[in-house]
């Protein structure tokens, strides 16, 4: 088989968009040209790679295999560029990071500011994802790094521990729970709750707790970030679960009271995930080191 790297990139675009038309747009090619390239790929492979339907395309098992290999091959190209970067000017690196809500909002802005100042030729694509998507992305090569909190058990992963994430309950001064030394999840059921937007890692985690424990919180308001949760709590709209780091920061400017959660799941280790056996380019290793060394983790590191 003689496969052009451009065809691999095109196939990834088609697979990710589930559409020949959108794949053509992302690749800056005409639809007839894309159709011809896909047919040539299928001819060389000797198997069908795509199921075609009126509303788009889906990958066949052979297409899934090609997608995985294409991501690995193009990822290795990026790794090669990064390793060669120190030998010449103008070579740029690219790192894709899938991370949970806490990482995206609480410490990655500062981490990336430090990292990018020292690596001006490297671009970073940071995307907020759920834990299952993060793990899957690292394993199949969709992302270079994953940042998660909590137990992760998956073959093929390297886990780099960098801190401990403590979830706490934020309430307004004078709230009935403010007098408690600590709070259990079941204690929260009688009060209005401020949640994050659907699709955020923490909200998905809280939804799972409700399903497992058969307890239903009354989610009064949903917001997009931890600062908004704390502002709603301060205003007396409801109570909210937030990471301790976020509560500590916002309590400096807001009148909120924080309470420990007397639950085993409230204490969660944080990890940077990489795929086991991957030879990471120097700039990707540098980003991992920057995350681990971030001073803001000092108070929560074991």
């Amino acid at each position: 088989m003689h496969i052009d790297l451009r065809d691999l990139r095109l196939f990834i675009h088609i697979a990710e968009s589930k559409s020949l038309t959108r794949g053509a747009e992302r690749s800056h090619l005409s639809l007839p040209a894309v159709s011809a390239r896909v047919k040539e790929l299928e001819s060389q492979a000797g198997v069908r790679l795509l199921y075609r339907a009126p509303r788009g395309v889906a990958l066949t098992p052979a297409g899934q295999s090609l997608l995985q290999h294409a991501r690995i091959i193009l990822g290795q190209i990026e790794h090669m560029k990064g390793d060669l970067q120190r030998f010449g000017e103008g070579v740029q690196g690219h790192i894709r990071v899938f991370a949970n809500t806490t990482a995206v909002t609480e410490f990655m802005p500062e981490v990336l500011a430090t990292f990018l100042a020292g690596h001006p030729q490297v671009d970073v694509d940071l995307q907020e994802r759920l834990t299952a998507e993060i793990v899957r992305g690292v394993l199949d090569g969709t992302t270079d790094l994953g940042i998660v909190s909590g137990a992760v058990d998956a073959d093929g992963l390297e886990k780099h521990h960098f801190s401990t994430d403590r979830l706490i309950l934020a309430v307004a001064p004078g709230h009935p729970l403010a007098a408690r030394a600590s709070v259990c999840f079941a204690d929260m059921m009688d009060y209005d709750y401020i949640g994050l937007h659907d699709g955020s890692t923490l909200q998905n985690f809280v939804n799972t707790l409700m399903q497992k424990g058969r307890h239903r919180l009354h989610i009064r308001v949903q917001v997009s970030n931890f600062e908004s949760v704390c502002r709603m709590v301060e205003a007396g709209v409801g109570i909210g679960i937030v990471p301790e780091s976020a509560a500590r920061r916002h309590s400096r400017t807001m009148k909120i009271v924080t309470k420990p959660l007397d639950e085993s799941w409230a204490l969660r280790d944080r990890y940077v995930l990489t795929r086991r056996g991957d030879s990471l380019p120097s700039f990707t290793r540098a980003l991992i080191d920057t995350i681990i060394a971030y001073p803001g983790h000092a108070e929560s590191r074991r």
Side-chain angles (χ1 to χ4, degrees):
M1 294 179 64
H2 302 283
I3 298 178
D4 193 299
L5 291 178
R6 291 171 297 181
D7 290 337
L8 294 183
R9 291 191 182 91
L10 169 63
F11 192 77
I12 291 174
H13 290 162
I14 294 171
E16 290 180 345
S17 63
K18 297 180 175 61
S19 167
L20 290 175
T21 301
R22 288 193 290 273
E25 292 172 352
R26 290 180 61 182
S27 302
H28 306 290
L29 295 170
S30 67
L31 184 58
V34 168
S35 296
R37 284 178 178 243
V38 171
K39 288 180 180 178
E40 179 60 23
L41 271 176
E42 292 180 324
S43 175
Q44 291 206 39
V47 292
R48 175 180 290 185
L49 301 173
L50 298 173
Y51 295 121
R52 293 160 177 82
R55 294 187 177 181
V57 296
L59 298 182
T60 66
Q64 290 282 2
S65 179
L66 176 59
L67 176 62
Q68 182 176 0
H69 285 292
R71 284 170 170 163
I72 292 171
I73 290 169
L74 294 180
Q76 289 298 319
I77 295 294
E78 290 298 319
H79 294 168
M80 179 186 69
K81 289 179 180 179
D83 287 339
L84 292 176
Q85 185 173 358
R86 61 190 177 93
F87 296 108
E89 295 295 326
V91 180
Q92 294 188 348
H94 182 273
I95 308 173
R96 178 174 287 185
V97 183
F98 286 177
N100 61 16
T101 307
T102 305
V104 171
T105 60
E106 289 303 306
F107 61 84
M108 282 305 288
E110 291 80 8
V111 166
L112 290 181
T114 299
F115 172 77
L116 295 174
H119 298 80
Q121 293 178 309
V122 177
D123 293 330
V124 177
D125 177 9
L126 176 63
Q127 299 183 24
E128 181 180 336
R129 298 294 183 94
L130 298 176
T131 298
E133 294 177 295
I134 296 170
V135 171
R136 186 167 57 249
V138 173
L139 288 173
D140 68 16
T142 307
T143 185
D144 301 297
L145 302 178
I147 303 176
V148 298
S149 300
V152 174
D153 184 17
D155 292 336
L157 290 176
E158 293 283 351
K159 300 193 294 185
H160 311 266
H161 180 263
F162 62 90
S163 71
T164 301
D165 177 28
R166 294 176 177 85
L167 295 176
I168 59 90
L169 181 68
V171 301
H175 189 279
L177 294 178
R180 302 280 294 271
S182 62
V183 179
C184 295
F185 189 60
D187 298 330
M188 301 165 50
M189 298 304 119
D190 294 333
Y191 305 101
D192 292 337
Y193 184 78
I194 310 301
L196 289 174
H197 61 87
D198 289 330
S200 68
T201 304
L202 180 55
Q203 188 58 44
N204 187 65
F205 179 70
V206 171
N207 291 342
T208 300
L209 290 176
M210 289 192 289
Q211 292 170 0
K212 289 182 177 180
R214 297 182 181 178
H215 296 300
R216 301 301 303 176
L217 286 168
H218 178 213
I219 301 178
R220 189 68 181 273
V221 178
Q222 287 182 274
V223 295
S224 62
N225 53 61
F226 297 125
E227 179 181 6
S228 297
V229 172
C230 292
R231 288 196 179 280
M232 290 289 177
V233 169
E234 180 186 33
V237 177
I239 61 178
I241 294 175
V242 295
E244 187 178 38
S245 57
R248 188 186 305 117
R249 177 159 55 88
H250 295 309
S251 64
R252 297 181 189 129
T253 57
M254 302 182 200
K255 295 180 180 179
I256 59 174
V257 176
T258 61
K259 293 295 170 182
L261 286 166
D262 189 15
E263 302 284 356
S264 59
W265 47 257
L267 193 65
R268 305 186 298 170
D269 287 329
R270 288 170 170 167
Y271 300 97
V272 178
L273 304 180
T274 58
R275 190 167 52 185
R276 183 175 299 154
D278 269 6
S279 178
L280 300 175
S282 57
F283 56 80
T284 304
R285 293 194 299 269
L287 177 55
I288 295 174
D289 292 341
T290 305
I291 294 171
I292 293 173
Y294 173 57
H297 298 322
E299 293 185 33
S300 61
R301 188 177 289 118
R302 285 179 174 177

